[in-house]
Amino acid sequence: QLPPLRRPKDADDADADADAIGRGVCGRDDDQDVLFSPRAFELLAPRASPPFTYRGFCEAVDDYNSRHAEKAFLMGPRERRLDELAAFLGSASHDTDAFRTSREYLACGDRVERTLERRRELRGGGDDKIDDDEETEWYCMPCAPDHYDYTTQTCALSMLDNDQSYYGYCQPFTAPPDGCPCDYVKEVESSGPLEGRMRANDIFFGRGSIHLSHNFNYIRASTTMTGSEDTFCAHPELLAT
């Protein structure tokens, strides 16, 4: 029996539609048949940060089970399903620092965001138009353990310093379908705000709830989860959102 918790303002709204997602796994706090309730998530991850939410987990279960004959957390007797769920949540909690980070700390804990403006011409209907679009990019400072401050999430010395290359998580001679194309990378700028940083979408470091890593694993996950090997190869940051 789970102890009572102080309910957030939108808890009743969350319960109201809980039955519609994660069927057979998620559900209302007062439903004893569900495997994983909102209250259980709050107990497990009281400091969870986006993208880790109860609803997100339940929707991910639905999405996976809609694509596969072997259903996550729905196969076998209840005890076995609970064991499977506990094993997954325990592993995910370890990899994500109790659901507080979706990116590996040493590779991308010290990161900055930049919004890039892109301008493209749209042709059609006899008129040419200009469409201004914005795209957000993350830039990471890879760090050795001795130089990383876990309290402030900052790196004192980039592994890209002095024109060094970063070669983690990449087998550069692996090509599709065996692995996403990749290469060793250098800092984006030798001076300026992005000095010592690399473009996050160029590296296949640990991301997501199980911190998937390496280019040969990204391509397999991309094919399995999206039906296309290009999805995570072109945009590995999708796994962190």
Side-chain angles (χ1 to χ4, degrees):
Q1 185 72 23
L2 295 173
L5 293 176
R6 185 173 60 186
R7 304 279 287 166
K9 291 175 61 179
D10 61 349
D12 292 335
D13 293 337
D15 271 355
D17 64 357
D19 293 332
I21 57 174
R23 291 195 180 271
V25 180
C26 303
R28 299 170 59 92
D29 283 334
D30 57 1
D31 187 346
Q32 297 300 313
D33 292 329
V34 304
L35 299 183
F36 193 49
S37 67
R39 193 188 315 171
F41 178 80
E42 191 174 344
L43 283 169
L44 176 68
R47 294 186 292 169
S49 300
F52 301 115
T53 64
Y54 179 75
R55 183 178 185 86
F57 168 79
C58 298
E59 290 177 342
V61 170
D62 277 344
D63 183 71
Y64 180 89
N65 287 341
S66 70
R67 299 168 183 267
H68 299 84
E70 185 173 326
K71 310 300 183 183
F73 317 125
L74 291 178
M75 308 289 285
R78 179 179 176 84
E79 291 75 14
R80 184 181 302 169
R81 294 162 57 203
L82 284 169
D83 286 346
E84 180 185 350
L85 178 61
F88 170 79
L89 292 173
S91 176
S93 180
H94 175 270
D95 283 355
T96 61
D97 192 17
F99 298 98
R100 291 188 295 173
T101 180
S102 59
R103 297 173 181 86
E104 184 180 341
Y105 281 137
L106 293 180
C108 200
D110 187 339
R111 60 185 179 273
V112 296
E113 183 181 25
R114 290 290 183 270
T115 299
L116 308 176
E117 292 187 1
R118 301 186 184 278
R119 173 163 291 193
R120 58 193 177 99
E121 293 185 7
L122 301 178
R123 300 183 183 276
D127 297 321
D128 293 346
K129 298 180 180 180
I130 300 296
D131 178 50
D132 290 321
D133 192 17
E134 290 187 347
E135 180 178 334
T136 298
E137 286 272 14
W138 286 100
Y139 294 88
C140 311
M141 183 175 290
C143 202
D146 292 345
H147 297 130
Y148 192 77
D149 188 327
Y150 286 90
T151 301
T152 61
Q153 306 297 339
T154 55
C155 179
L157 180 64
S158 172
M159 295 177 68
L160 298 172
D161 195 42
N162 293 323
D163 200 35
Q164 296 294 308
S165 297
Y166 187 78
Y167 50 86
Y169 309 107
C170 171
Q171 289 188 347
F173 304 109
T174 304
D178 298 318
C180 297
C182 66
D183 204 347
Y184 301 159
V185 301
K186 292 184 176 293
E187 59 187 351
V188 176
E189 296 177 350
S190 57
S191 63
L194 298 181
E195 179 181 355
R197 299 185 181 276
M198 58 190 181
R199 182 173 172 266
N201 268 319
D202 289 339
I203 308 296
F204 298 96
F205 56 78
R207 292 181 178 89
S209 58
I210 57 171
H211 273 200
L212 184 77
S213 62
H214 293 90
N215 62 319
F216 49 83
N217 286 326
Y218 268 73
I219 197 169
R220 294 167 184 162
S222 185
T223 301
T224 300
M225 297 173 66
T226 74
S228 170
E229 63 185 30
D230 295 331
T231 307
F232 296 156
C233 286
H235 301 285
E237 274 291 285
L238 288 173
L239 278 168
T241 61

